[in-house]
Amino acid sequence: MKFTQVITRLPALNCAEGQTTADDGRPDSGKTRQQFFRYIEIMLELGIRVTILPAEPDFPDAHFVEDPAVILPELAIITHSGVLSRQGEGALLAPELEKYRPLYVMSDKGQLDGGDVLLADKHFFIGMTRRTNMAGLDEFATVVAPLGYRVTPVAVDSGLHLKSVVNYIGQNTLLMTSAYEALPAFAGFRRLVIPDDEAYAGNTLLINGTLVMPEGYPVTREILRQAGMPVVTLDTSEFKRMDGSLSCLSLRF
């Protein structure tokens, strides 16, 4: 898929007050913004129009815009997060998303985070995590199945979200750690397996023929280089402190 637009949100100065399971210390808000703007520069360099929404200090995780919404060619889905403090973020995104897609707003009967939603062609793989459950998957499936999409649950034992560790990088290829290599759900894919100590680099983005990955993971970078696509690296140290990664920072369509 060729992307033409991304929606992002400026990190709030109190972004360190957000949710995290990491123990690497609090992020520096100034450095967080520096890394965010470099992310924006990369998107612009790759030919994408960027929308930057204003910071939302009442929602210190709101710059992780991937979690409260999923964008398909046919519609946009506002998700229902499993984290109470983030459940207002979808309503903040809705006015912007309505400019581009019809909206479906999920109910509160289940929970689903966009970071658990991995799309490969017309097949959704949805991570079962602390943020996403089967009730959320079932509601999501009732919306997307009539549009021709398949939906498969994937048990996630490590990482905050499925896409924290597993990502589709085109050409029927998934990037992942060894823990996911043998899962039957992924049997039909070419699987590029990265070291467990570089698991964070599993969150690599394919953007218009270029792979964008976090810096500091040399083994993964060499694996991707051998895959034959250009690779761009970005310092994401401050986002990592908040369980954040590259895909979290934008809605791409």
Side-chain angles (χ1 to χ4, degrees):
M1 177 185 297
K2 180 175 176 59
F3 297 114
T4 61
Q5 301 194 69
V6 297
I7 295 172
T8 65
R9 186 179 296 283
L10 181 67
L13 293 177
N14 64 340
C15 59
E17 297 175 11
Q19 298 287 322
T20 187
T21 63
D23 57 1
D24 296 332
R26 292 166 62 87
D28 175 86
S29 61
K31 191 174 181 181
T32 297
R33 287 189 169 186
Q34 289 176 1
Q35 293 177 359
F36 171 79
F37 284 120
R38 177 56 188 145
Y39 182 90
I40 298 302
E41 288 176 354
I42 290 172
M43 294 295 170
L44 293 171
E45 289 165 2
L46 294 174
I48 299 176
R49 178 187 176 194
V50 178
T51 297
I52 304 177
L53 300 175
E56 289 287 350
D58 290 340
F59 295 91
D61 287 310
H63 56 289
F64 297 131
V65 292
E66 182 181 59
D67 291 328
V70 177
I71 300 183
L72 289 68
E74 300 87 353
L75 80 164
I77 298 173
I78 299 293
T79 66
H80 185 256
S81 177
V83 179
L84 182 63
S85 65
R86 301 198 64 186
Q87 288 177 2
E89 293 177 21
L92 297 175
L93 279 173
E96 185 65 27
L97 296 179
E98 286 178 327
K99 298 176 183 178
Y100 307 101
R101 300 285 193 274
L103 278 187
Y104 176 85
V105 179
M106 292 185 64
S107 72
D108 60 2
K109 296 178 181 178
Q111 57 194 48
L112 184 140
D113 261 13
D116 283 318
V117 180
L118 172 65
L119 179 61
D121 297 323
K122 296 282 286 188
H123 194 162
F124 281 106
F125 297 91
I126 298 185
M128 296 289 98
T129 66
R130 291 170 303 211
R131 303 283 184 92
T132 298
N133 60 20
M134 190 58 69
L137 179 148
D138 288 342
E139 182 175 356
F140 184 88
T142 63
V143 176
V144 303
L147 301 173
Y149 294 90
R150 298 164 57 199
V151 177
T152 299
V154 178
V156 175
D157 296 325
S158 61
L160 182 68
H161 291 123
L162 174 62
K163 285 192 292 191
S164 298
V165 184
V166 181
N167 280 272
Y168 184 65
I169 59 171
Q171 301 176 356
N172 200 47
T173 301
L174 293 171
L175 187 68
M176 61 177 61
T177 59
S178 59
Y180 295 87
E181 182 181 12
L183 291 184
F186 299 139
F189 292 90
R190 177 191 181 202
R191 285 149 284 175
L192 298 183
V193 179
I194 64 176
D196 289 347
D197 62 358
E198 294 197 6
Y200 182 75
N203 190 267
T204 289
L205 291 177
L206 174 63
I207 303 289
N208 298 347
T210 293
L211 295 170
V212 184
M213 66 169 290
E215 72 176 29
Y217 302 92
V219 176
T220 302
R221 182 168 185 172
E222 178 60 19
I223 290 170
L224 294 175
R225 187 192 67 79
Q226 292 182 14
M229 284 185 282
V231 178
V232 174
T233 62
L234 172 66
D235 183 2
T236 58
S237 61
E238 304 311 291
F239 301 114
K240 186 180 179 183
R241 295 176 192 272
M242 301 304 293
D243 289 326
S245 47
L246 290 168
S247 69
C248 305
L249 294 171
S250 64
L251 289 165
R252 303 161 296 281
F253 57 104

